C-alpha cells in the first residue's frame, strides 16, 4: 500500500463490507459526488477504489475535490498532497 493510501485510511471505515467515508458516503456515492464536482469527468468508483487501495494516485484536482467533500482541513490536506 502506498503512502497516500495509508493517509486516506483515516477518512473511511469498513462497515458491513462497504467503505463508509467521514461524510457518510459509500465509495460509489463519493465517486459520484466527485464526478459531479469535476464537471462530469476524471473519476468513477473504480478510480477511487484504486486510489484507496494504493494502485494509483489522485490528480491534484481530484484530491482538491476529495478534500472539499470530506471537509479536510488545510493541515491534513497538505499531508495528503505530499503523500
Amino acid at each position: 500500500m502506498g503512502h497516500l493510501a495509508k493517509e486516506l485510511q483515516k477518512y473511511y471505515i469498513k462497515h458491513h463490507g462497504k467503505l463508509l467515508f467521514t461524510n457518510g458516503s459509500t465509495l460509489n456515492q463519493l465517486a459520484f459526488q466527485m464526478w459531479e464536482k469535476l464537471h462530469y469527468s476524471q473519476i468513477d468508483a473504480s478510480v477511487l477504489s484504486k486510489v484507496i487501495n494504493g494502485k494509483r494516485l489522485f490528480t491534484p484536482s481530484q484530491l482538491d475535490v476529495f478534500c472539499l467533500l470530506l471537509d479536510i482541513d488545510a493541515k491534513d490536506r497538505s499531508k495528503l498532497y505530499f503523500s
Side-chain angles (χ1 to χ4, degrees):
M1 184 177 282
H3 295 290
L4 178 60
K6 286 180 184 176
E7 283 295 318
L8 292 175
Q9 286 180 332
K10 60 178 133 180
Y11 301 105
Y12 66 86
I13 59 168
K14 287 191 179 183
H15 184 70
H16 297 292
K18 291 185 176 187
L19 295 182
L20 187 61
F21 289 86
T22 56
N23 70 349
S25 298
T26 64
L27 183 118
N28 287 337
Q29 291 167 335
L30 183 60
F32 184 76
Q33 293 166 4
M34 291 178 69
W35 179 72
E36 286 182 314
K37 292 277 188 197
L38 291 164
H39 308 288
Y40 309 101
S41 66
Q42 298 186 40
I43 198 156
D44 59 25
S46 68
V47 170
L48 182 54
S49 177
K50 287 176 185 173
V51 172
I52 296 298
N53 289 302
K55 295 180 180 171
R56 86 178 271 175
L57 296 173
F58 277 135
T59 65
S61 58
Q62 290 169 338
L63 187 54
D64 284 341
V65 169
F66 180 86
C67 291
L68 174 74
L69 291 172
L70 296 182
D71 198 29
I72 297 172
D73 66 30
K75 178 183 169 195
D76 289 339
R77 186 178 295 215
S78 240
K79 279 185 184 177
L80 292 175
Y81 272 99
F82 293 107
S83 292

